[in-house]
Amino acid sequence: QSVLTQPPSTSGTPGQRITISCSGSSSNIGSNDAYWYQQFPGTAPKLLIYRSNRRPSGVPDRFSGSKSGTSASLAISGLRSEDEADYYCAAWDDRLRGWLFGGATKLTVL
Amino acid sequence: EVQLVESGGGLVQPGGSLRLSCTASEFILSSSAMTWVRQAPGKGLEWVSSLSRDGANTYYADSVKGRFIISRDNSKKIVYLQMNSLRAEDTALYYCANSPNSVTGSNYWGQGTLVTVSS
């Protein structure tokens, strides 16, 4: 059972803006950065957001991240069919002294 | 081209051992902490173990602590994951990745190597 809690699924229509939440605690998101990964079936995860709100080079600015208290969010604007994938949040946990991943959020583009 | 290539997976009986290898570009290994992440069939990502850039600090998930050992050989540009006392629940695709660069976010993953623990 993940200590970082994400909704198991979400959906949206093309062009829409959606957000995916990631709820943690004081020992992880509350005191450390959040990271967001995108994973397509049969492929390795790809980093979308690091240090809670920064995008690596090559990640479209349609993807944005934010953090408030012990929660983090990933927003995808201008939704496209190719965004349909699994999304994971991650954070270092000071108490466990290890990384935590949230359970996947499956995004469906209707 | 930046690459991480895992190898060493396979079928092993419960209680057995395997050693996974992750061959990395030199600049990744010298500049990054390294991590193993696994994904059981149809399941989510699970962090397994991390090794600091200088190799001095190791970290393990509770589920593998005392059974797995992470190490690196910079001269060979390889990160290892020695897996002992394997259990059925260790069955997964094991990925090697570097920790995201704090400035650029550069983050590389291998294609994964499949470990199946079954009698």
Side-chain angles (χ1 to χ4, degrees), chain A residues 21-34:
Chain A
S21 62
C22 176
S23 177
S25 67
S26 59
S27 62
N28 41 71
I29 294 178
S31 52
N32 296 296
D33 289 318

Side-chain angles (χ1 to χ4, degrees), chain B residues 11-14 117-119:
Chain B
L11 174 63
V12 61
Q13 292 188 338
V117 184
S118 175
S119 55

Side-chain angles (χ1 to χ4, degrees), chain B residues 3 10 14 31 60 84:
Chain B
Q3 274 193 320
S31 61
Y60 299 95
N84 302 319

Side-chain angles (χ1 to χ4, degrees), chain A residues 13-16 60 62 76-84 107 109:
Chain A
T13 56
Q16 192 176 8
R62 302 187 297 107
I76 309 174
S77 59
L79 204 59
R80 299 182 179 183
S81 58
E82 57 259 39
D83 297 332
E84 194 163 283
L107 170 62
V109 180

Side-chain angles (χ1 to χ4, degrees), chain B residues 11-90:
Chain B
L11 174 63
V12 61
Q13 292 188 338
S17 298
L18 275 179
R19 188 177 75 164
L20 305 184
S21 298
C22 170
T23 302
S25 303
E26 184 169 7
F27 94 92
I28 291 180
L29 213 58
S30 63
S31 61
S32 305
M34 299 298 294
T35 290
W36 288 93
V37 174
R38 68 185 181 185
Q39 188 167 34
K43 302 297 184 182
L45 301 175
E46 180 189 14
W47 171 74
V48 175
S49 181
S50 292
L51 178 64
S52 61
R53 185 177 64 179
D54 61 4
N57 297 296
T58 57
Y59 308 90
Y60 299 95
D62 286 344
S63 57
V64 307
K65 200 171 294 183
R67 300 188 297 125
F68 290 11
I69 300 171
I70 189 171
S71 62
R72 64 199 295 161
D73 184 333
N74 286 346
S75 64
K76 294 182 179 178
K77 295 181 282 187
I78 298 178
V79 177
Y80 298 103
L81 185 68
Q82 177 67 43
M83 305 188 297
N84 302 319
S85 302
L86 283 162
R87 307 167 180 167
E89 53 265 36
D90 295 319

Side-chain angles (χ1 to χ4, degrees), chain A residues 2 35 37 39-40 42-47 50-51 54-57 86 88 92 96-104, chain B residues 35 37 39 43-47 50 57-60 62 65 95 98-107 109-111:
Chain A
S2 300
Y35 295 75
Y37 293 87
Q39 187 182 33
F40 297 106
T43 69
K46 172 189 173 183
L47 182 66
Y50 70 105
R51 295 184 65 183
R54 303 187 184 199
R55 282 186 308 277
S57 174
D86 289 331
Y88 296 86
W92 178 263
L96 297 175
R97 291 181 60 76
W99 287 94
L100 292 173
F101 283 96
Chain B
T35 290
V37 174
Q39 188 167 34
K43 302 297 184 182
L45 301 175
E46 180 189 14
W47 171 74
S50 292
N57 297 296
T58 57
Y59 308 90
Y60 299 95
D62 286 344
K65 200 171 294 183
Y95 292 105
N98 72 309
S99 293
N101 182 285
S102 61
V103 175
T104 67
S106 295
N107 178 230
W109 292 65
Q111 82 291 348

